[in-house]
Amino acid sequence: MTSRQPACEPCRRSKLACDHARPSCSRCRRQKKGSECVYRASPFRRKQHSVVLSPCRTRSSRRVVDEPSISPQGGSPSGEPAPPLVRQNSRSYPNPGFLGQSSHVSIFSQIFSDQDQDGGGSNTATNSHALSSRPSPPPSMSLDEHPLARQGADILRQLLEEYELRAMESLVLFWRAGGVNLALAEPLVELCASHANYTSLSTLQGHGWHLALALRLLENTYRPLESDENSTMADFSSQFLRTRTRWETLGIFLSAVLRATMDIPCFPSLYTTESAKRGFRNVLMRLITCALDICLSLDCLNDIQLIFQYENFIIHSFMNGDQSYHLWRRLGDVISTTFAIGYHESVESRPHTPPFLVELRKTAFARIYSADKNISLFLGRPLRMSKRFCQFQIPDTPPRGPDGTSAVHEWNEDSAMSYRAETRWSALCASIKEEIMELLFDRSRVDSLAKVNALQAVADTQWAALPASFRAWDAEGHKAAESPFARDFMISVRLNHLHICFLLRRVLLSRVTEPDGSILAVAQEMLRLVVGAILLRDELANSGTTLGWKIAHYGLPAAGMILVAALAAQPAVPECFQESYPRIVQDLSVLGAELERGTIVKPQDPNYALLSKATQAIHKFLDFIHGSSSSSASTGSNGRRELHAALAQVPGPGPVEDVSWFPPQLGQDLWDSEIGFWQGLVEHPSLLNQYLASPG
């Protein structure tokens, strides 16, 4: 009797007949899939899950593998033992994560607490955190049961067949040499970027090398991360590096690679042209997104997954823009994980947590909390993360005093400029912005003036508490700063404080279309600082926010408020506008010119639509005031004569003659979103070309 013969993997997966020819069957040869035609070593074992590579085949590659693969005995040639593959069934129930006081679990925890006290046992159930189920040891896994991991394997193969691991590691190190880093994953980037992590798991040889690598990453990702009060950073990181490398490790590494491409225009071993760089980014983005989806599908919450999620959210702001739904959804996912893992509660209260992990969790909370406020303000949408339901916690908080309280706004005078310091300051500002948003959305506006004055006092106190070196930026501040990072840091710190002042003054406006002198003064300073950052962009290094963020989140609101004041129907231009008119025109001219040149944003960039509308509005306004000598005089009006009289008293760049001025009311709906505002402003009748045309 003829014995059964196994089908190759492509025919088996497609459920098609196979002629069992070797080295590749005829069907695979006809479809030009000979390289994928692999026969399993034990094809008829029902529960055979591991991917077996064909030892007699090698894949042609221009990469040189510096480390041998894991030995058949389970160890590596470097002496590091490989993690055992435990063959157990998956858990039957989902991981509930953090369960708070309103949950029924808090009631049962009291019962468990009483039993533990009566029996003298360890009181492990008094914390609701302890009731969150821990994942069981890794089960026997197969890529057939995890299609996302198989998809990730295919993208991983596509990436590594075209780009070298060592080249990507070199790109990250070159980028890091400029003093920049990922803001939250800062302590992990260089650890995750080591190519040895990935070559320790596979020789990158054989037709199924990518499947074996994906499976090992999957099995490692399922393992819990352990720590106790005596754990060090080295102990903690050893659980996700080298032979224990996880999908989160790969995701953080590739996030750093993609971020580096934003700052480094050319890196010959990876890309030399803009189109090549875009292709490289697209493959990176696909693999990063797939890696995160794999991690989330396993339902194993941990610290590095949360860090990876946050950095993925930031990546989406680069790739999809600040108004993208993808960005908004990713931020919601990060916040959901923060709540599910319980980091909105005091992370210091958890027992057996090492100090370095406490600070890392505080930093994660602070950055996610700040992002929620800034994105919500920018888009005009409700907050998702409120102090009323969170324990506000930020890194480097001073120790508590004798009364048990801690002044979170206090700083050590010798504090260094760093990503953690920027995170701390942003969170302090975001705390005030949350209160401002409540006032903005409060239709009753009861005691608004008293509340605004109280918040302004808090903001001023926080500003005064900053180390003097943080507040050193002024017109000549770039000369005092010693490094590009420090220059960018001081600009960011000042802009965040000015943004609070701007928002507080906006709360007091009876109508947004009638700005007063106080808000215009703040808007002018914000605009001046953003324009200064644009001119110094080659001397700045990302200290937590990019130049594009500064323009979109600070520069555009300031410029918009100035243009609204210029277009409003007022009997006279505000005094502060008269005194600083030449500088306003200069700053608007620089902003409009730089945006138009494409040095900051290009047509293929995601924020181009928003910034291009702002550019059009700014240029029409500048054309309006500079080219008014040829404007029509046949449509005279009181508004036109009043503006002419007001501007005639201003020492502007040239004579203003008979300007056309048609100021219909600007509705509140223009401020619903940034792009809606600029779309409405660019179509404002006072800026339309038909009113600027020559007579006849």
Side-chain angles (χ1 to χ4, degrees):
M1 183 176 66
T2 305
S3 61
R4 293 176 61 191
Q5 297 186 38
C8 67
E9 282 297 287
C11 291
R12 186 186 67 82
R13 290 196 301 268
S14 301
K15 301 186 185 306
L16 298 174
C18 179
D19 61 7
H20 317 296
R22 297 179 185 251
S24 58
C25 70
S26 58
R27 186 185 300 276
C28 289
R29 288 198 302 271
R30 286 196 306 271
Q31 297 180 357
K32 297 181 180 181
K33 295 182 178 180
S35 61
E36 301 178 12
C37 188
V38 179
Y39 293 88
R40 292 186 293 172
S42 302
F44 303 118
R45 291 183 59 183
R46 189 176 294 272
K47 292 187 178 181
Q48 178 66 29
H49 296 293
S50 60
V51 177
V52 180
L53 306 185
S54 175
C56 61
R57 300 180 185 176
T58 58
R59 179 177 57 87
S60 60
S61 173
R62 55 190 176 89
R63 278 175 296 281
V64 178
V65 179
D66 298 316
E67 289 193 22
S69 65
I70 300 172
S71 65
Q73 289 76 21
S76 66
S78 61
E80 183 180 358
L85 302 182
V86 182
R87 306 296 182 185
Q88 295 185 7
N89 293 328
S90 176
R91 61 169 178 261
S92 302
Y93 303 101
N95 176 17
F98 171 83
L99 299 174
Q101 295 180 1
S102 63
S103 170
H104 69 281
V105 175
S106 63
I107 302 174
F108 282 92
S109 67
Q110 300 301 317
I111 301 174
F112 299 147
S113 175
D114 294 340
Q115 291 176 348
D116 289 336
Q117 291 174 2
D118 294 339
S122 61
N123 187 10
T124 59
T126 54
N127 268 331
S128 58
H129 312 294
L131 296 176
S132 298
S133 67
R134 298 177 59 81
S136 59
S140 174
M141 288 189 169
S142 167
L143 295 184
D144 293 334
E145 299 172 358
H146 294 83
L148 284 174
R150 182 175 289 276
Q151 179 184 350
D154 293 336
I155 305 173
L156 186 60
R157 180 173 186 170
Q158 179 185 352
L159 176 70
L160 296 184
E161 282 186 343
E162 187 172 355
Y163 306 99
E164 296 183 8
L165 270 172
R166 257 201 193 284
M168 288 186 276
E169 180 188 23
S170 299
L171 173 63
V172 172
L173 295 178
F174 182 74
W175 175 64
R176 285 277 298 108
V180 293
N181 209 330
L182 300 183
L184 180 55
E186 177 186 12
L188 306 178
V189 167
E190 291 191 11
L191 298 173
C192 295
S194 174
H195 83 289
N197 293 327
Y198 314 101
T199 53
S200 291
L201 294 183
S202 172
T203 58
L204 304 185
Q205 293 181 352
H207 293 295
W209 65 269
H210 59 301
L211 300 176
L213 180 56
L215 182 60
R216 292 301 301 273
L217 292 172
L218 185 68
E219 291 174 329
N220 289 341
T221 303
Y222 199 82
R223 301 174 185 278
L225 298 177
E226 306 286 350
S227 64
D228 57 40
E229 62 271 21
N230 298 319
S231 297
T232 64
M233 183 63 181
D235 299 330
F236 182 71
S237 60
S238 66
Q239 300 176 81
F240 54 85
L241 300 177
R242 307 284 289 195
T243 57
R244 294 178 173 85
T245 295
R246 307 157 66 100
W247 277 106
E248 297 102 326
T249 314
L250 179 64
I252 291 173
F253 167 42
L254 296 180
S255 297
V257 174
L258 198 150
R259 285 288 301 277
T261 65
M262 302 292 176
D263 297 334
I264 301 175
C266 177
F267 200 76
S269 58
L270 293 172
Y271 54 87
T272 55
T273 64
E274 190 65 29
S275 60
K277 182 165 63 173
R278 284 198 300 271
F280 182 42
R281 285 179 185 167
N282 290 336
V283 179
L284 287 172
M285 191 64 187
R286 287 172 54 208
L287 186 52
I288 291 170
T289 302
C290 188
L292 180 57
D293 290 341
I294 293 169
C295 298
L296 295 175
S297 70
L298 295 180
D299 196 20
C300 300
L301 303 177
N302 58 66
D303 294 283
I304 60 171
Q305 178 188 302
L306 179 64
I307 293 171
F308 179 25
Q309 272 191 277
Y310 173 81
E311 297 298 350
N312 179 261
F313 152 71
I314 297 297
I315 288 295
H316 274 273
S317 71
F318 282 95
M319 299 296 290
N320 297 318
D322 295 326
Q323 294 178 317
S324 166
Y325 171 72
H326 296 290
L327 178 73
W328 178 252
R329 182 173 66 85
R330 294 283 171 174
L331 177 59
D333 291 345
V334 177
I335 294 172
S336 296
T337 299
T338 304
F339 291 154
I341 207 169
Y343 291 169
H344 61 295
E345 296 288 326
S346 175
V347 297
E348 292 180 324
S349 64
R350 298 196 176 190
H352 314 303
T353 305
F356 79 89
L357 205 51
V358 170
E359 286 300 304
L360 187 61
R361 291 171 180 176
K362 286 182 177 180
T363 304
F365 174 86
R367 292 210 70 86
I368 295 166
Y369 176 83
S370 302
D372 176 54
K373 308 303 165 291
N374 289 320
I375 295 295
S376 294
L377 276 168
F378 183 67
L379 298 176
R381 295 173 184 170
L383 300 175
R384 289 159 157 156
M385 202 172 189
S386 172
K387 287 185 299 184
R388 301 183 188 280
F389 302 97
C390 297
Q391 176 73 34
F392 183 73
Q393 47 199 340
I394 55 179
D396 297 331
T397 303
R400 297 184 181 276
D403 57 352
T405 61
S406 175
V408 294
H409 65 272
E410 292 182 357
W411 297 74
N412 295 323
E413 191 59 34
D414 58 350
S415 296
M417 299 181 187
S418 63
Y419 285 103
R420 184 172 291 183
E422 194 274 340
T423 299
R424 189 164 187 265
W425 173 248
S426 296
L428 289 170
C429 293
S431 177
I432 301 177
K433 291 176 184 178
E434 179 179 339
E435 304 285 345
I436 295 174
M437 287 197 72
E438 292 186 2
L439 291 177
L440 283 172
F441 285 95
D442 182 8
R443 300 185 183 279
S444 64
R445 297 289 179 92
V446 178
D447 296 329
S448 291
L449 180 59
K451 294 177 181 177
V452 166
N453 290 336
L455 291 175
Q456 185 66 62
V458 174
D460 293 341
T461 300
Q462 290 184 175
W463 174 255
L466 282 172
S469 59
F470 290 13
R471 296 179 282 115
W473 186 270
D474 54 23
E476 303 296 328
H478 62 282
K479 295 181 180 179
E482 298 179 355
S483 67
F485 184 94
R487 296 185 194 105
D488 189 82
F489 181 91
M490 288 191 288
I491 292 175
S492 298
V493 166
R494 181 59 177 158
L495 280 173
N496 228 329
H497 176 67
L498 288 174
H499 193 217
I500 291 175
C501 299
F502 179 85
L503 293 171
L504 286 172
R505 284 156 178 77
R506 182 176 166 184
V507 170
L508 294 178
L509 293 179
S510 57
R511 302 182 64 178
V512 178
T513 56
E514 298 176 358
D516 57 19
S518 62
I519 194 171
L520 287 176
V522 176
Q524 291 169 43
E525 188 173 355
M526 284 175 61
L527 178 62
R528 185 176 306 122
L529 204 53
V530 170
V531 170
I534 293 174
L535 297 178
L536 291 173
R537 60 183 176 273
D538 293 333
E539 302 177 30
L540 302 178
N542 185 343
S543 64
T545 56
T546 63
L547 179 60
W549 174 281
K550 294 178 178 67
I551 294 172
H553 290 255
Y554 304 124
L556 292 191
M561 190 62 72
I562 291 172
L563 294 187
V564 166
L567 295 175
Q570 299 180 10
V573 178
E575 182 179 353
C576 68
F577 189 80
Q578 296 179 14
E579 295 174 353
S580 55
Y581 173 76
R583 184 59 186 264
I584 291 174
V585 173
Q586 177 184 345
D587 290 339
L588 289 174
S589 300
V590 172
L591 178 61
E594 292 290 347
L595 293 177
E596 185 179 40
R597 287 176 57 197
T599 55
I600 298 172
V601 61
K602 298 178 176 60
Q604 63 270 20
D605 292 340
N607 279 336
Y608 178 78
L610 166 63
L611 296 181
S612 64
K613 288 296 181 183
T615 304
Q616 292 178 38
I618 291 170
H619 279 299
K620 286 189 176 184
F621 172 75
L622 294 173
D623 292 342
F624 178 82
I625 61 175
H626 289 308
S628 56
S629 58
S630 60
S631 60
S632 174
S634 60
T635 54
S637 67
N638 293 333
R640 179 181 57 191
R641 288 195 295 269
E642 290 171 357
L643 180 67
H644 173 71
L647 293 181
Q649 302 173 3
V650 178
V656 180
E657 300 178 8
D658 199 19
V659 286
S660 298
W661 183 248
F662 299 91
Q665 292 296 337
L666 297 173
Q668 175 71 29
D669 58 332
L670 287 182
W671 292 88
D672 288 345
S673 69
E674 288 288 333
I675 197 167
F677 168 78
W678 290 106
Q679 176 68 42
L681 190 61
V682 77
E683 296 173 357
H684 192 279
S686 296
L687 298 181
L688 293 179
N689 290 333
Q690 60 178 320
Y691 295 110
L692 300 177
S694 300

